[in-house]
Amino acid sequence: MEDVWAGALWALRVWLYLIVGLIMIPAMFGFSLGISETYMNILVKTLEWATLKIQRVNTVERTRNASASNSLIQRGNGSMEKELGELRRSRPKPPVGGDFTFSDCFYFTRKGIESIVEDEVTQRFTSEELVSWNLLTRTNDFQYISLKLTLVYGLGIFVRYCILAPLRITLALIGLSWLVIGTSAVGFLPNSSVKSWLSEWVHVMCYRICARGLSATIHYHNRENIPKKGGICVANHTSPIDVVILCNDACYAMVGQIHGGLMGVLQRAMVRSCPHVWFERAEMKDRHLVTKRLTDHVNDKTKLPILIFPEGTCVNNTSVMMFKKGSFEIGATIYPVAIKYDPKFGDAFWNSSKYSMVSYLLRMMTSWALVCNVWYLPAMHQQVGEDAVQFANRVKSAIAHQGGLLDLQWDGGLKRAKVKETFKEQQQKEYSSMVVGDDSNSD
Amino acid sequence: MGSSRSRMDDIPHAQQLIHETDFSAAHLLRLHQRFKFLDKYQTGELRPRDFGAIPALALNPIGDRIIGAFFSPGRETLDFPSFVRILAHFRPTDPNRSRDSTQQELANSRTRKLKFAFQLYDQDRDGKISRAELLQVLRAMLETQVVEEQLQSIAERAIQEADLDKDDAISFDEFRRIVFFFFVFCLQSLEKVNIDHKMSIRFLK
């Protein structure tokens, strides 16, 4: 019995030394031993082989899935005015009583039915569909293809759950505890440039370990545009992992609500070494207070750039939703960043209504890997005569364009809340101006 | 196991539905996926509030009526075959189909499309659009933008134009006539605008 224990302990020690030696130390100092590169190469080749196999066997399946767009219907592009105008083309304009026809409802009916079959908003909150199976159980709808493929798939399960997952969990735990210990230790130093340098180093190191803990391969583009101190960095939001992705390369000040429990410990430790902006729950409601604190932070040029996700919620990385204007009202320099995940290796989207944080993290750790591209865009300023909303939309378009995402006008909050009545009014206004014409004094 | 995709075995009476509605198997699968997506609590049936979760529908001025049109009078739930049958009304009419008497029975025939539109107005399903019902629709589409007198005059004019037998209500025949009347003029122009085009949804292959 004791032998078993001794053996287990010895194995554990070897395991830890291996991790520290092969993964942690390189991560801490920012160089790579090439292990992850080899792993990724093998992975890519395997997935390509699997795709070819599936395609060869199932040509029918291929034609069904070949459409890159996920649309089912082709929507009419005409505006309300154009379409209703067509419907009424032949009618002489009546002298009194307005211009209403029974066929006006056709336009609204068709739009309504189109949105029942497929709508732009709700499809952004489910995971992106894959064109071909990536050998994960969770995306499996494809039928049995061949013995070899099933064997590879089975091997994949074993590798992911029994080898990779424990490895990654260990790394994540080490990374997080090191973050807490390191930042608390740095917090004891008096304020000086050494302290800020050390704190940055500790932060980046821990995030690198966490990134290895997710087998993340990140490609940074345009690093000359990296956010500088005294600015605000905005990015599109797909999951909480975005923070790890971005902080791997530069140091940011976080904004958020103070939580209790483990998160709270983390937050309190982090704020000891360098200033982050944490709010109490009650303070979040007070918009002026929030704006003031952010402005104060930004005006202090020694403080790190603030990281904000203006969408306010996680979206599935095929589109960018409406940006909340709060951060654009401050008048600071905005550094936009576009993040795009590659869905082949693992789905990074956090569907908070379907999965809790813990089960989401476990899913992440049992995916193949996380591959993403980060583009740093040139800094943007609010122009004269541009209000916060227009500025926000401009930044959003730039991010969507760079990342290859769809630029949507909808509010991400529609995931949970109902549409505001004001939107309906807009449609009614447009229609009434066609029916009643210029006589109506609508405001 | 698996994501939200459907298989043909999940769909009851699939072959019959395909035959009835002329949807392809692929389209039927996608519609089933959509049905399951809208059915948040996986009850197997849809309720009016499930449709309410679609933002684009909520801001449609006649959104509530469209939702109501899916549910038979007195019923609170909608199963998948009924869902598909109603959506089938909106498939474009196939011009290659021979013009014989059986065309009337097609799910997506012109008459069915018109009937759907008619029922949006005729909420109590008595076969006639009364003045009150017309006013209700106008109010829904225009709400706060137009004063009551204007609404009344618009309704008055619309009824006068369409009501041929002078019973102060519009029957389905009168509705059909007035809608066709305008489209006849359209056919003379170069652009082919017709009912079928306006009340159809183009499904991608």
Side-chain angles (χ1 to χ4, degrees), chain A residues 70 72 74 86 91 102, chain B residues 30 121 157 198 202 204:
Chain A
N70 286 327
L72 177 58
Q74 181 188 350
E86 275 179 8
R91 268 178 71 135
F102 286 97
Chain B
R30 288 293 293 260
Y121 288 95
R157 207 185 137 259
K198 287 295 159 195
R202 276 152 286 192
L204 291 172

Side-chain angles (χ1 to χ4, degrees), chain B residues 10-200:
Chain B
D10 300 338
I11 305 174
H13 313 300
Q15 288 306 322
Q16 191 189 345
L17 276 175
I18 292 179
H19 182 71
E20 239 179 78
T21 61
D22 238 7
F23 276 123
S24 70
H27 287 149
L28 200 67
L29 279 174
R30 288 293 293 260
L31 287 174
H32 192 239
Q33 238 178 289
R34 180 68 173 166
F35 183 84
K36 282 203 298 191
F37 176 79
L38 291 173
D39 180 17
K40 279 201 166 28
Y41 300 105
Q42 302 301 314
T43 58
E45 296 181 313
L46 290 182
R47 285 170 181 72
R49 64 146 194 259
D50 293 322
F51 286 98
I54 305 172
L57 197 57
L59 62 81
N60 191 314
I62 50 171
D64 305 325
R65 285 165 181 262
I66 298 176
I67 297 175
F70 275 83
F71 295 87
S72 316
R75 296 212 54 185
E76 280 288 307
T77 57
L78 181 72
D79 61 6
F80 181 64
S82 318
F83 179 68
V84 172
R85 282 192 195 108
I86 295 181
L87 286 179
H89 291 335
F90 293 92
R91 284 191 56 248
T93 323
D94 188 351
N96 295 330
R97 270 210 135 92
S98 57
R99 290 183 145 278
D100 53 4
S101 57
T102 58
Q103 199 187 20
Q104 286 303 315
E105 285 129 31
L106 280 180
N108 61 343
S109 72
R110 205 168 277 174
T111 314
R112 289 290 182 97
K113 289 184 163 87
L114 280 174
K115 234 206 139 101
F116 189 89
F118 184 76
Q119 275 177 354
L120 288 178
Y121 288 95
D122 179 25
Q123 288 282 289
D124 61 5
R125 318 247 176 162
D126 63 353
K128 287 183 178 305
I129 304 177
S130 67
R131 185 186 295 262
E133 283 174 330
L134 182 56
L135 274 171
Q136 270 177 1
V137 176
L138 284 172
R139 260 187 223 113
M141 293 209 273
L142 297 166
E143 206 150 328
T144 53
Q145 308 299 325
V146 166
V147 295
E148 188 63 26
E149 289 112 33
Q150 274 174 316
L151 271 182
Q152 296 279 356
S153 71
I154 294 172
E156 180 62 44
R157 207 185 137 259
I159 289 188
Q160 268 180 6
E161 260 191 334
D163 187 16
L164 298 171
D165 59 3
K166 301 293 169 213
D167 61 350
D168 215 33
I170 301 172
S171 67
F172 181 60
D173 263 339
E174 287 165 350
F175 180 77
R176 202 208 309 229
R177 230 176 275 264
I178 195 97
V179 168
F180 267 121
F181 179 65
F182 300 126
F183 285 116
V184 160
F185 282 98
C186 291
L187 284 174
Q188 293 176 346
S189 66
L190 288 173
E191 285 184 38
K192 288 210 177 348
V193 176
N194 52 32
I195 299 168
D196 187 59
H197 188 73
K198 287 295 159 195
M199 282 279 270
S200 299

Side-chain angles (χ1 to χ4, degrees), chain A residues 149-224:
Chain A
L149 202 64
T150 319
L151 277 177
V152 171
Y153 166 60
L155 183 66
I157 294 188
F158 173 70
V159 166
R160 282 185 294 120
Y161 281 84
C162 303
I163 300 182
L164 289 178
L167 174 69
R168 289 174 182 165
I169 296 178
T170 323
L171 277 174
L173 286 173
I174 294 179
L176 287 176
S177 31
W178 179 234
L179 184 66
V180 174
I181 299 172
T183 48
S184 308
V186 173
F188 285 123
L189 295 174
N191 280 345
S192 66
S193 56
V194 176
K195 179 181 182 186
S196 12
W197 180 83
L198 264 181
S199 126
E200 278 185 33
W201 190 62
V202 167
H203 271 108
V204 171
M205 204 165 60
C206 299
Y207 283 118
R208 286 214 185 106
I209 299 178
C210 288
R212 291 298 171 93
L214 292 165
S215 296
T217 306
I218 312 170
H219 302 290
Y220 295 100
H221 305 270
N222 306 334
R223 294 192 74 239
E224 66 271 9

Side-chain angles (χ1 to χ4, degrees), chain A residues 61 64-65 67 69-77 82-83 86-92 94-119 121-123 125-126 129-131 137-143 153 410 414 418-421 423-429 431-433 435-436 439-443, chain B residues 1-7 26-27 29-31 33-34 37-38 40 51-64 66-67 70 83 86-87 90 113-114 116-117 120-121 129 134 137-146 150 153-155 157-159 161-162 170 175 178-179 181-183 185-186 189 191 193 195 197-205:
Chain A
E61 208 71 36
R64 172 152 79 95
N65 296 328
S67 58
S69 79
N70 286 327
S71 313
L72 177 58
I73 54 180
Q74 181 188 350
R75 306 181 87 107
N77 281 329
K82 174 166 170 280
E83 298 224 10
E86 275 179 8
L87 277 166
R88 295 163 169 188
R89 181 192 308 274
S90 59
R91 268 178 71 135
V96 299
D99 193 9
F100 164 77
T101 63
F102 286 97
S103 39
D104 286 349
C105 78
F106 287 9
Y107 168 78
F108 292 113
T109 310
R110 201 186 81 224
K111 282 270 176 250
I113 299 285
E114 274 174 356
S115 62
I116 288 179
V117 174
E118 189 172 81
D119 83 289
V121 177
T122 50
Q123 74 180 64
F125 295 119
T126 53
E129 279 188 27
L130 287 172
V131 178
T137 318
R138 59 195 69 136
T139 49
N140 174 28
D141 303 300
F142 297 76
Q143 289 91 3
Y153 166 60
W410 292 96
L414 288 174
K418 299 197 71 142
V419 173
K420 291 201 203 88
E421 280 300 309
F423 281 107
K424 205 190 232 187
E425 257 180 54
Q426 193 152 13
Q427 292 241 321
Q428 286 165 338
K429 228 188 243 189
Y431 179 60
S432 78
S433 70
V435 170
V436 182
D439 314 353
S440 80
N441 290 329
S442 49
D443 47 26
Chain B
M1 168 134 145
S3 67
S4 59
R5 297 225 198 154
S6 308
R7 291 198 174 80
H27 287 149
L29 279 174
R30 288 293 293 260
L31 287 174
Q33 238 178 289
R34 180 68 173 166
F37 176 79
L38 291 173
K40 279 201 166 28
F51 286 98
I54 305 172
L57 197 57
L59 62 81
N60 191 314
I62 50 171
D64 305 325
I66 298 176
I67 297 175
F70 275 83
F83 179 68
I86 295 181
L87 286 179
F90 293 92
K113 289 184 163 87
L114 280 174
F116 189 89
L120 288 178
Y121 288 95
I129 304 177
L134 182 56
V137 176
L138 284 172
R139 260 187 223 113
M141 293 209 273
L142 297 166
E143 206 150 328
T144 53
Q145 308 299 325
V146 166
Q150 274 174 316
S153 71
I154 294 172
R157 207 185 137 259
I159 289 188
E161 260 191 334
I170 301 172
F175 180 77
I178 195 97
V179 168
F181 179 65
F182 300 126
F183 285 116
F185 282 98
C186 291
S189 66
E191 285 184 38
V193 176
I195 299 168
H197 188 73
K198 287 295 159 195
M199 282 279 270
S200 299
I201 302 191
R202 276 152 286 192
F203 284 89
L204 291 172
K205 289 280 171 287

Side-chain angles (χ1 to χ4, degrees), chain A residues 221-288:
Chain A
H221 305 270
N222 306 334
R223 294 192 74 239
E224 66 271 9
N225 293 324
I226 219 169
K228 302 185 183 44
K229 295 199 166 128
I232 300 183
C233 172
V234 302
N236 57 316
H237 201 29
T238 306
S239 90
I241 308 228
D242 292 342
V243 172
V244 174
I245 303 278
L246 287 179
C247 287
N248 241 356
D249 200 35
C251 237
Y252 300 96
M254 314 280 167
V255 179
Q257 203 184 308
I258 290 246
H259 291 92
L262 207 57
M263 274 295 286
V265 172
L266 213 61
Q267 288 175 322
R268 272 183 281 273
M270 281 166 68
V271 87
R272 268 189 218 120
S273 65
C274 76
H276 296 280
V277 188
W278 302 126
F279 291 102
E280 300 290 332
R281 191 180 198 103
E283 290 176 329
M284 293 285 298
K285 303 263 193 288
D286 184 353
R287 279 200 53 197
H288 290 295

